[in-house]
Amino acid sequence: MNRFLNKGMVATLQRRMASQLLINDSKYAFLKELGIKENNAGVFHGKWAANGQTVQSFAPANNSPIANVQNGNVKDYEIAITEARKAYNDWCEVPAPRRGEIVRQIGDKLRTQLQNLGKLVSLEMGKISAEGVGEVQEYVDICDYATGLSRSLEGKIFPSERPGHALLEQWNPLGVVGVISAFNFPCAVYGWNNALALVTGNSVVWKPAPSTPLTAIAVTKLVEEVLVANNVNPALCSLVCGEGDVGQALVKDKRVNLVSFTGSSEIGKIVGQQVQARFGKLLLELGGNNAIIVNEDADLNMVVPATVFAAVGTAGQRCTTTRRLIIHDKVYDQVVERLKKAYAQFESRIGCPLDSNTIIGPLHNQQAVGKYKASIAEAIASGGKIEYGGKVLEREGNYVLPTIVTGLKHDDPVVLRETFAPILYVLKFSNLEEAIAINNEVDQGLSSSLFTTNIQNVFKWMGPKGSDCGIVNVNIPTSGAEIGGAFGGEKETGGGRESGSDSWRQYMRRSTCTINYSKELPLAQGIKFE
Ligand code: NAD
């Protein structure tokens, strides 16, 4: 371009392009408070320096560019992994409670920017601001949780069969945890991994989704401040924004001891095989195709709002979104009618995710809108009836109507697939065994819910012949998990568990230690070797 324009013209063009960035609109002043600029380096390894392509991050509400980001390339990744390994060498010897204290400070730092960071998540991902703030709150909560955990990362002591011997377990850090995250939880997924990886003594290299780099940069800046204030090498929490090539470098790298991957089952399958090929450790959090079962004895006053929240919330872009509603034939017509009314009430509240009145924001990008349209066309071609919605809204941004589809077979290919959009397939059953079989017949196994008032059904649902998912709920929606429990799913959801319970063990390696404090050398199983 410069060959045809003189210096003055180039400067004018650059000014015009900069003025189109949302960061220069006073409405989004919170971006600057988070340290976001017009041009941002998307790589941090103790220093902010990137060498990859410059890209723009867009707001799904209007598809306008927010700010520029210079991505990292494979060379930047190489620096980040080297620096993160160096940082690990010191960090692994810091006593766990001291590590916990620093993670506590990260939580406190996030608290000071809770609203601003929540707004950035909302602007860049497209979820409503209450959910954006909620996502940052999850990171704060897991910091508190990890702080407590740092004083209770316990190993067991077992009775030894040999006299004068002690048999015990010691847990040690792994080294570097590589986190590859999805666009739909640009803050919380990293938070879950980051807080647990740090208290367990690891360093972290993060590759966020290519369409949410600004959230990753803002989060890393806050974490950096805390590490520097505590004289900890800030490369401990390194960041490389970029595309699949950076992800591939991380996945294939033996120096990355655990790959924690959150994303689609399609990419997760490739990543899983590649990490396994080098005998690396894996934590996979992949797609879901979650169902709510409404039994004949369910409290329908709870079913309707729970279904709307889980099917329509985050515009259907949660891994735990309810995509299938399996209703007993005795209450089927009543539930469908009530749902249609509830959906209609929300239509006027589809809009800009940063407006406080909005309940339903946009889809993340135009590709997602394309997938929404394609799935609806496929559902209609298979004999499905659109009870509500089914349309893209004629306005700027990526807005669609939440959609209810009836009349499809429970095993129709479109029903078995995860379409990352607010489309709810409504199915019918006549006994609970049949409903459970429908719940379990999909390839994914993330979240599931049964609405019933019968205690016998509850324990059947939780037991060996019940739901085969990682999350098995009763009388609550499929989405909206708390951090205290282990989060994740079975089958093509990948089998990983993050967040609460004993998920911390995945970030550590177990040593079984037998210590002989006697002067004899007895062998186990009474073997005599003489
Ligand atoms: P995606 O699979 O397209 O991308 C996820 C990440 O993988 C991104 O950072 C991407 O850049 C990276 N990537 C792409 N190709 C790669 C490769 N060859 N090697 C290494 N990395 C690569 O997923 P998405 O569209 O960002 O997210 C939506 C999906 O994530 C949905 O399927 C959703 O269900 C799932 N998800 C699951 C959970 C969970 O906890 N189970 C949570 C959030 C999202």
Side-chain angles (χ1 to χ4, degrees), residues 179-185 189 192 207-211 242-251 261-268 270-271 274 284-290 317-320 323 364 371 418 420 446 487-489 493-494 498:
V179 179
I180 300 180
S181 57
F183 79 85
N184 66 326
F185 275 91
V189 163
W192 288 1
K207 196 215 83 68
S211 55
E243 301 282 340
D245 58 337
V246 174
Q248 277 291 289
L250 186 155
V251 165
F261 177 89
T262 302
S264 59
S265 298
E266 188 190 355
I267 305 288
I270 300 169
V271 165
Q274 290 172 332
L284 294 176
E285 294 282 355
L286 311 177
N289 190 352
N290 318 294
Q317 301 166 104
R318 282 185 183 226
C319 50
T320 50
R323 308 199 180 280
H364 190 54
K371 287 183 182 166
E418 178 197 48
F420 224 52
L446 182 52
F487 181 93
T493 303
E498 277 177 355

Side-chain angles (χ1 to χ4, degrees), residues 295-520:
N295 204 33
E296 58 181 316
D297 55 14
D299 180 343
L300 301 188
N301 291 332
M302 291 167 77
V303 166
V304 175
T307 305
V308 176
F309 170 74
V312 167
T314 329
Q317 301 166 104
R318 282 185 183 226
C319 50
T320 50
T321 290
T322 300
R323 308 199 180 280
R324 299 174 298 144
L325 185 65
I326 311 169
I327 312 176
H328 195 284
D329 52 15
K330 283 194 186 148
V331 291
Y332 180 91
D333 291 341
Q334 196 188 343
V335 173
V336 172
E337 277 319 301
R338 286 176 69 170
L339 262 186
K340 280 160 69 173
K341 280 198 190 118
Y343 270 53
Q345 278 171 4
F346 283 122
E347 197 164 321
S348 62
R349 297 181 68 187
I350 300 176
C352 174
L354 284 163
D355 290 349
S356 57
N357 186 47
T358 300
I359 283 281
I360 306 169
L363 289 180
H364 190 54
N365 52 30
Q366 278 296 308
Q367 288 98 298
V369 174
K371 287 183 182 166
Y372 166 87
K373 286 202 300 198
S375 288
I376 285 172
E378 188 180 336
I380 293 170
S382 294
K385 179 178 172 212
I386 307 299
E387 298 282 353
Y388 187 86
K391 286 198 193 84
V392 176
L393 295 178
E394 298 290 327
R395 55 167 97 157
E396 70 170 1
N398 312 315
Y399 293 95
V400 301
L401 282 182
T403 301
I404 302 172
V405 184
T406 57
L408 288 174
K409 285 205 214 120
H410 58 83
D411 58 354
D412 191 285
V414 78
V415 176
L416 297 179
R417 204 171 60 230
E418 178 197 48
T419 300
F420 224 52
I423 304 174
L424 182 68
Y425 301 109
V426 184
L427 311 167
K428 210 184 264 189
F429 74 93
S430 50
N431 67 66
L432 190 56
E433 285 71 26
E434 183 193 351
I436 293 173
I438 294 173
N439 178 73
N440 292 352
E441 80 179 329
V442 295
D443 288 331
Q444 308 85 347
L446 182 52
S447 187
S448 56
S449 278
L450 169 66
F451 277 78
T452 182
T453 49
N454 178 333
I455 192 83
Q456 290 174 344
N457 293 337
V458 171
F459 283 90
K460 183 185 285 180
W461 175 237
M462 286 164 52
K465 293 193 173 171
S467 167
D468 65 359
C469 293
I471 298 171
V472 182
N473 293 335
V474 177
N475 295 333
I476 64 159
T478 53
S479 60
E482 298 178 26
I483 62 132
F487 181 93
E490 303 298 331
K491 302 190 292 186
E492 291 194 5
T493 303
R497 291 297 187 278
E498 277 177 355
S499 197
S501 184
D502 62 353
S503 302
W504 61 270
R505 289 173 194 247
Q506 288 172 103
Y507 301 82
M508 303 199 87
R509 62 183 171 81
R510 179 196 325 236
S511 313
T512 301
C513 311
T514 310
I515 297 144
N516 181 359
Y517 56 90
S518 75
K519 294 278 183 199
E520 306 299 322

